[in-house]
């Protein structure tokens, strides 16, 4: 523990405060990729960390399970990805037509099952020193009032009446986050994803090995995917919320034209993805939010794992600083620094992603033609998935990409998030 945390007026270094009540340095709510990353980052810094999860682990999550380069780069040292397949080819289609497959000698990205992946992330956090509690539901957090012993403490109130105290709290409790509601997260885009896990015979699985399908869908901004994972195909579609019936029909038609309608899914699920508004806060007092709880994901593809891992790591690092803050002014300063760090990186990518989505909604056929017939577009796709660049870096650093995006989306380019005022 730091000297600040072990000072005479603060006994949280040995986990005891306010009589017998333990005070944790950092409490993380939610043990998905964002929460596990936050818990790891805080624990590896030597802090007392409690990770709370309402489900029992491992648990299923609706997710394609694609691990792109930025996700790999954000993993803890020594993390071995439990790949079910390695992708070297992508078949593109435009609502089932104009199908073409592009291939790469190097792996584009890997495919995982979320229960295994999330479990390993949690285990790394535990090895770093975080304590895990599952089967607990957080009702709310309080930063003022009778539940809070002092101004440096946050009370996390659990179902059943138990109170957990912390110097800092990280909300990573998903897209319907209770911590996000406390912070006041505002949403700009909500989409509905539907997915089926379809066990297939070995002959069918072999045909898909190392290859994914991306289909640009019939509704504006929609698309579908097939991700092979051994003897199971993850088949899903996503579209704007409010198109529920059409999205369901799209998935049924998609599965039918792939010749997979005769196979019974082992799991059928749905999930809402929520993308933050530009002015949405990322903190309130000593509470930070990250990942889906903060509405952090790429708006065009709705890719969220890399955003969860990266924002979770930042949240864990800045939660340590907030835990060490001795007054509200210092805590707010650290929270603003967290917001700035998120917006300077992930925020820029989201800004470009929003423009890409707008352009894609208008001209999906042009995107399809570019990716299947224009080598620079395919090379850009490869570089992003492999982690050589990000969407934000690509557009900022390449005049051709800037001109193409300006032609597709004629709005004035939005200022990078790093130029905006950090919001807390």
């Amino acid at each position: 523990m730091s000297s600040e945390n072990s000072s005479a007026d603060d006994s949280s270094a040995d986990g005891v405060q306010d009589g017998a009540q333990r005070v944790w340095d950092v409490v993380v709510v939610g043990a998905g990729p964002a929460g596990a990353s936050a818990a790891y980052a805080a624990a590896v810094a030597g802090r007392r960390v409690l990770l709370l999860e309402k489900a029992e682990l491992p648990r299923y999550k609706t997710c394609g399970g694609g691990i792109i380069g930025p996700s790999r780069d954000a993993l803890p040292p020594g993390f071995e990805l439990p790949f079910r397949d390695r992708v070297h080819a992508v078949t593109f289609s435009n609502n089932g037509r104009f199908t073409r497959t592009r291939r790469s000698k190097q792996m584009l990205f890997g495919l995982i099952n979320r229960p295994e992946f999330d479990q390993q992330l949690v285990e790394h956090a535990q090895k770093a020193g975080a304590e895990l509690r599952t089967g607990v539901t957080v009702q709310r957090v309080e930063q003022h009032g009778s539940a809070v012993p002092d101004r440096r403490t946050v009370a996390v109130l659990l179902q059943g009446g138990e109170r957990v105290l912390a110097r800092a709290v990280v909300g990573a409790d998903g897209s319907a986050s209770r911590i996000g509601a406390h912070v006041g997260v505002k949403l700009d885009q909500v989409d509905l994803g539907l997915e089926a896990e379809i066990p297939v015979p070995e002959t069918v699985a072999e045909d898909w090995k190392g290859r994914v399908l991306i289909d640009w869908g019939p509704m504006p901004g929609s698309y579908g995917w097939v991700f092979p994972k051994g003897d199971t195909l993850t088949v899903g579609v996503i579209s704007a919320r409010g198109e529920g019936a059409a999205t369901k029909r799209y998935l049924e038609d998609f599965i039918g034209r792939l010749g997979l309608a005769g196979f019974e899914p082992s799991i059928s699920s749905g999930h809402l993805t929520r993308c933050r508004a530009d002015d949405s806060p990322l903190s309130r007092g000593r509470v930070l939010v990250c990942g889906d709880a903060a509405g952090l994901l790429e708006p065009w593809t709705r890719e969220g794992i890399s955003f969860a891992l990266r924002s979770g790591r930042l949240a864990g690092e800045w939660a340590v600083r907030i835990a060490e803050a001795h007054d509200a002014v210092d805590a707010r300063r650290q929270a603003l620094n967290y917001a700035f760090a998120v917006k300077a990186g992930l925020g820029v990518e989201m800004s470009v992603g929003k423009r890409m989505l707008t352009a894609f909604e208008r001209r999906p056929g042009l995107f399809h033609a570019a990716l299947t017939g224009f080598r620079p577009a395919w090379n850009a796709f490869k570089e992003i998935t492999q982690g050589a660049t990000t969407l934000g870096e690509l557009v900022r650093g390449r005049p051709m990409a800037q001109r193409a995006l300006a032609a597709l989306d004629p709005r004035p380019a939005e200022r990078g998030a790093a130029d905006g005022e950090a919001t807390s």
Side-chain angles (χ1 to χ4, degrees), residues 31 52-61 115 118-119 122 132-137:
L52 301 175
E53 167 59 42
K54 67 179 179 180
E56 298 296 336
L57 300 175
R59 46 90 176 98
Y60 180 80
K61 284 287 186 180
D118 291 12
Q119 179 70 34
V122 169
L132 171 69
R133 284 186 61 186
T134 59
V136 293
T137 299

Side-chain angles (χ1 to χ4, degrees), residues 126-145:
Q126 289 177 289
K127 289 175 185 176
E131 184 172 319
L132 171 69
R133 284 186 61 186
T134 59
V136 293
T137 299
V138 172
Q139 296 283 63
R140 65 186 187 278
V141 294
E142 291 186 7
Q143 302 192 65
H144 308 282

Side-chain angles (χ1 to χ4, degrees), residues 352-424:
V352 174
K354 286 180 181 179
R355 297 187 67 202
M356 293 287 284
L357 176 63
T358 299
F360 172 66
E361 288 172 339
R362 294 170 179 164
R363 306 288 296 279
L366 192 57
F367 275 74
H368 180 71
L371 283 167
T372 57
F374 186 50
R375 183 169 294 276
W378 169 244
N379 288 340
F381 178 91
K382 289 195 299 182
E383 290 176 19
I384 290 171
T385 59
Q386 291 170 339
T389 188
T390 66
L391 193 58
E393 291 169 351
L394 185 75
V395 172
R396 284 186 300 178
R398 302 191 185 182
M400 180 184 292
Q402 292 174 8
R403 289 195 295 272
L405 184 56
L408 289 166
D409 177 16
R411 294 176 303 166
E414 296 170 328
R415 295 178 64 194
D419 296 331
E421 181 181 353
T423 304
S424 178

Side-chain angles (χ1 to χ4, degrees), residues 137-214:
T137 299
V138 172
Q139 296 283 63
R140 65 186 187 278
V141 294
E142 291 186 7
Q143 302 192 65
H144 308 282
S146 59
V148 183
D150 59 65
R151 293 181 179 180
R152 290 191 57 210
T153 307
V154 181
V156 181
L157 303 176
L158 308 182
Q159 193 173 62
E162 182 181 352
R163 180 185 69 165
V164 177
L165 300 179
R167 296 298 183 212
V169 170
V170 176
D173 48 335
S175 60
S177 169
R178 294 193 177 193
I179 311 303
H182 172 80
V183 167
V185 172
K186 295 187 286 185
L187 305 171
D188 192 42
Q189 173 187 330
V190 182
D191 296 289
L192 170 64
L194 300 177
E195 195 167 75
E197 303 286 352
I198 305 178
V200 293
E202 185 178 348
T203 52
V204 176
E206 189 63 30
D207 181 55
W208 285 97
K209 188 176 182 180
R211 177 176 67 94
V212 302
L213 169 65
I214 297 176

Side-chain angles (χ1 to χ4, degrees), residues 33 37 65-76 79 81 83 109-110 112 117 121 303-310 313 349 384-387 389-390:
S37 295
I67 301 296
I68 60 175
S71 296
R72 295 196 302 270
D73 294 341
L75 292 168
F79 190 97
L81 279 157
F83 283 147
F109 55 96
I112 53 91
F117 178 68
L121 285 169
E303 191 277 321
I305 294 178
S306 76
F307 280 71
L309 292 169
R310 290 181 285 172
R313 183 183 63 196
E349 292 179 40
I384 290 171
T385 59
Q386 291 170 339
T389 188
T390 66

